[in-house]
Amino acid sequence: RQDRLGVVVRRIEFDHALAKEAIARGIEVRDGCAVETIVVGDDGVRVTTADGEVISARAIVGADGVGGIVRRQAGFARGELRAQVVELDTEAVPQDLPRDTVVFDFDTRDLNGYTWDFPTIVNGEPLVCRGAYVIRNLGPDDARARIGAYLAARGLDPKRYRHKQFAERGFEPGAEIAVPRVLLVGETAGIDIATGEGIGQAIEYGSIAGRYLADALAYDDLGFTDWRRTVAHHHLGWQLALRHALYRVFYSHRRARIEPLMPSMHQLFRVGVQDFAGAPMSRLAIMRGAGQLLAAYTRAKLA
Ligand SMILES: Cc1cc2nc3c(=O)[nH]c(=O)nc-3n(C[C@H](O)[C@H](O)[C@H](O)COP(=O)(O)OP(=O)(O)OC[C@H]3O[C@@H](n4cnc5c(N)ncnc54)[C@H](O)[C@@H]3O)c2cc1C
């Protein structure tokens, strides 16, 4: 257990704060302004909005999330790694852990994903945000059925709560995330498929893209041929690559063999939790974690 790992924030409040910060920095933010078409040409990009306005730009950044149009209209592949999420808010139940705890529950072994309980406050009322994260490309499954079973096991009637359903797109190592004049970031490019985490990742994509674009525009070099390599060389790139590797190992036939070894890898978990919290990871902790992983692997081989 580690204190002060983070805070639970309602998305509507978080996005509002982010938009206010962008406006304060002189960025024009247009709300309720849908982009309908983008046409990428040799000398620029033409963007048409739902109210008919046409905007010409030297380049476009696809930051329009899992259901956006940039990826589709600029001709990128759809992407293989997909998850389904169902989320709802309920009152607390006696089985819940203390309210300063966030729960990622991997107990159900035939679920490629997890269920969660996060304490939350809605209109001043303390509630629990619960949800099911289901990786769909690994086989047919249904997040609604999963959260239904999860609620029933806690004595909650699923029919009493408004279910909100979403999709998520995972980052695929090696997949294209740029073409000339079009740069993909955030969930348009792909986020962590192992956990469905994407907020910190989207912000990190943004901070890398800002500097990258400033140089590209200054040198009028808008081919974006090294965008994938640039991301790969940052913390974000190796975090996404590592989590993709973990996804492949954990959600596989090896899961039953790996789970019993996990309690002996507490250093590795500590490093993972630090990364989850956005804290810098100490090299010593990484080395200790790697040592524990090696020892656990050797023990499993000898057993
Ligand atoms: C239920 C749920 C819970 C989650 N919980 C967490 C969590 O606890 N922690 C975490 O790290 N991640 C979480 N995620 C994942 C996270 O929300 C996303 O990965 C993250 O928001 C991606 O950020 P983004 O900026 O790339 O895209 P988004 O946040 O999806 O933003 C895309 C924006 O583009 C806009 N847009 C789309 N199409 C158009 C268009 N045609 N014209 C104009 N604008 C357009 C959208 O309106 C939206 O504002 C959760 C996801 C879900 C579904």
Side-chain angles (χ1 to χ4, degrees), residues 11 15 33-36 62-70 85-87 104 116 118 164-169 185-189 191 196-203 276:
R11 191 58 200 264
D15 286 2
C33 174
V35 171
E36 275 196 350
D64 48 348
V66 66
I69 62 161
V70 175
V85 183
V86 169
E87 180 184 77
F104 293 83
W116 79 77
F118 293 173
K164 292 170 276 180
Q165 185 167 319
F166 306 90
E168 293 203 50
R169 173 188 288 116
V185 299
E187 199 154 342
T188 315
I191 51 114
E197 260 195 14
I199 297 173
Q201 288 75 4
I203 291 171
F276 170 76

Side-chain angles (χ1 to χ4, degrees), residues 60-63 70 177-179 181-185 209 212-213 224 227:
I60 186 165
V61 178
V70 175
I177 52 171
V179 293
R181 297 190 185 275
V182 185
L183 204 66
L184 303 187
V185 299
Y212 179 85
L213 274 169
F224 301 149
W227 173 234

